[in-house]
Amino acid sequence: MHALVERLYPLCRSITGDGVRATLKIVDEYLPLQVHEVPTGTQVLDWTVPQEWNIRDAYVADATGHRVVDFAASSLHVLGYSVPVARTMPLAELREHLHTLPDQPTLVPYRTSYYKPDWGFCLSQETLDALPDGEYEVRVDSTLADGHLTYAEHVVPGQVADEVIVSCHVCHPSLANDNLAGIAVATFLARSLAARTPYYTYRFIFAPGTIGAITWLARNKERVEGASLGGTEPGGRGRVRHGLVLACAGDRGTLTYKQSRRGDAEIDRVLRHVLATSERPHEIREFTPYGYDERQYCSPGFDLGVGSLSRTPYAGYPEYHTSADNPDFVSPEAMADTLAVCREAFAVLDRNRRYLNLSPHGEPQLGRRGLYDSLGGRSDAHHAQLAMLWVLSLSDGEHSLLDIAERAALPFDAVAAAADALRGAGLLKA
């Protein structure tokens, strides 16, 4: 995963353009993608797909021709979506187009101007302070023209058509945690799921932030409208039942789960349970309509059960949206831990069922069915015995295995294993 972050880091990404395509082409080496191109001017919900932006070069050069700010050194040096410019101007005029972080004078900020024509450069405050008065050559070799918005999907087929979406944004330039780590975790999560046959169908969405998620929703209304009602569309097309947005997945902070707008969606309960029973340091946050693309999926017209998993949340670390968010800032161990939590959560989601006790009148004799004998010598025999009794007690067709795990204060795996054993003995049915 860290090697993938390092490969993607130098590319200049934005909400449209060749940087996004180059990013998806690299991800496609790890995971086959279906790439979608949506033309400029396409109406997507209340938005319109913007013009496509591409950039070849940009710099600010002093009177000797020395580039004091150079896009070739870092894609962060240019204001995202800068319109073309080729001028010579005094420093006093140039300052109006320069962006710095006075409180972090050694770092270069990340800034954009997507929907208002503008141009500019980002640099460290130290660099700006060292510039002498005089004339500077300013060049932005970019194009802003009709083209396409690009996003991609990868689908891991499941036993049922109903879907879990996993979404990550692919629009930020050289920012490793936000969100190359999320892209890497999503990529390897998809590969992990494909190694088995999951219960749900998993749809991975790699799209530019905000406008990309809005475009996906506009093009998939039949998949998401009424999704909370469950069931499948006529003809077998599944509805989105659950979802997770991955962002800031690689820093060394503790895990943070932001709940869906509903707050009681199954994905919310699953993540709360997995994080609590794993004893990992973590934080659970309530939904707010600010953040990443969970706010699009959770908008009231769709109201999908989609939460967001990160480590330190957006804007919660000093390196956020600065040149310090580089590959050294993200940790292979942190990405591995984020991936492990996703795998654990989806394992719970896939196995969470309601069962019916087929011998509900009194406690069935477990010993003659070999169920007690199967626990002999196990270090968790007491938990396993308790789990069997709880599953028998609450398997009335109304309680899910997660309900039982929460009620019994037992790990979900113990409850699911008990259900499997009881089904094998003919005492439960789905």
Side-chain angles (χ1 to χ4, degrees):
M1 288 187 288
H2 197 269
L4 177 55
V5 168
E6 290 180 319
R7 285 190 68 189
L8 295 175
Y9 182 76
L11 299 177
C12 182
R13 281 164 293 273
S14 189
I15 56 172
T16 62
D18 291 335
V20 173
R21 296 186 187 96
T23 298
L24 297 177
K25 184 176 181 181
I26 290 173
V27 173
D28 184 70
E29 296 175 20
Y30 295 76
L31 191 71
L33 297 179
Q34 180 182 9
V35 177
H36 304 270
E37 298 275 11
V38 184
T40 296
T42 302
Q43 188 71 27
V44 287
L45 305 181
D46 194 46
W47 294 58
T48 303
V49 173
Q51 289 188 310
E52 181 177 324
W53 182 70
N54 286 294
I55 183 166
R56 288 164 292 277
D57 193 15
Y59 59 87
V60 176
D62 63 20
T64 69
H66 171 67
R67 295 188 176 192
V68 295
V69 184
D70 192 357
F71 169 75
S74 171
S75 59
L76 293 180
H77 277 309
V78 174
L79 178 76
Y81 254 62
S82 281
V83 298
V85 60
R87 295 174 55 190
T88 299
M89 63 183 68
L91 180 60
E93 182 181 352
L94 177 59
R95 281 180 180 273
E96 298 177 9
H97 297 275
L98 300 181
H99 304 271
T100 66
L101 294 168
D103 293 337
Q104 296 173 291
T106 64
L107 302 182
V108 177
Y110 164 56
R111 297 289 184 268
T112 64
S113 184
Y114 293 144
Y115 300 105
K116 177 186 176 183
D118 198 359
W119 64 269
F121 290 86
C122 300
L123 65 162
S124 71
Q125 185 66 43
E126 282 188 351
T127 299
L128 177 58
D129 291 343
L131 295 181
D133 288 333
E135 296 288 310
Y136 288 85
E137 179 190 0
V138 178
R139 174 137 173 109
V140 177
D141 182 11
S142 65
T143 56
L144 192 59
D146 288 353
H148 296 82
L149 178 144
T150 309
Y151 71 91
E153 297 175 291
H154 175 83
V155 176
V156 179
Q159 299 170 40
V160 299
D162 285 343
E163 293 184 353
V164 180
I165 59 173
V166 180
S167 181
C168 56
H169 60 279
V170 297
C171 51
H172 287 15
S174 297
L175 299 174
N177 198 43
D178 183 21
N179 186 37
L180 298 180
I183 295 170
V185 170
T187 299
F188 282 80
L189 176 60
R191 292 175 61 167
S192 174
L193 288 169
R196 59 182 177 86
T197 303
Y199 178 74
Y200 288 108
T201 292
Y202 285 81
R203 182 177 299 273
F204 287 78
I205 303 168
F206 300 87
T210 305
I211 186 64
I214 286 172
T215 299
W216 186 88
L217 286 163
R219 290 163 60 89
N220 289 272
K221 280 189 174 183
E222 73 289 341
R223 182 173 278 114
V224 297
E225 286 185 336
S228 60
L229 301 177
T232 57
E233 288 282 348
R237 169 174 282 186
R239 292 187 185 276
V240 173
R241 301 296 304 278
H242 318 283
L244 190 64
V245 169
L246 287 173
C248 301
D251 68 87
R252 293 169 176 79
T254 59
L255 285 155
T256 301
Y257 177 68
K258 176 183 172 182
Q259 299 184 119
S260 72
R261 177 177 174 269
R262 301 181 201 171
D264 61 351
E266 189 171 346
I267 191 71
D268 300 328
R269 297 180 57 207
V270 166
L271 263 299
R272 290 197 300 259
H273 179 81
V274 166
L275 289 169
T277 57
S278 73
E279 299 184 351
R280 291 177 174 91
H282 69 278
E283 181 182 357
I284 304 295
R285 292 192 173 190
E286 297 295 324
F287 175 81
T288 63
Y290 181 78
Y292 293 110
D293 284 329
E294 69 277 358
R295 69 189 196 272
Q296 310 306 332
Y297 300 117
C298 292
S299 56
F302 297 114
D303 196 25
L304 297 176
V306 176
S308 176
L309 183 66
S310 61
R311 303 197 71 86
T312 307
Y314 50 85
Y317 50 96
E319 298 83 357
Y320 178 76
H321 279 195
T322 76
S323 54
D325 185 0
N326 57 46
D328 291 336
F329 176 64
V330 299
S331 156
E333 294 78 13
M335 285 190 287
D337 187 47
T338 306
L339 175 61
V341 168
C342 291
R343 294 178 62 181
E344 292 167 26
F346 290 158
V348 172
L349 200 62
D350 272 347
R351 297 165 70 192
N352 191 29
R353 304 280 181 280
R354 290 180 172 85
Y355 292 100
L356 188 65
N357 185 344
L358 298 178
S359 182
H361 298 97
E363 183 179 301
Q365 189 175 7
L366 301 180
R368 70 178 173 87
R369 293 176 169 88
L371 293 174
Y372 275 150
D373 293 343
S374 70
L375 305 179
R378 286 176 50 168
S379 60
D380 64 343
H382 179 63
H383 270 181
Q385 181 180 336
L386 274 178
M388 282 189 184
L389 296 176
W390 273 109
V391 170
L392 287 168
S393 178
L394 293 180
S395 290
D396 52 9
E398 299 295 326
H399 293 85
S400 70
L401 294 184
L402 183 58
D403 293 331
I404 297 170
E406 291 177 337
R407 174 83 175 270
L410 289 169
F412 181 90
D413 282 350
V415 172
D420 289 343
L422 292 166
R423 284 187 71 192
L427 291 172
L428 287 186
K429 74 172 183 180

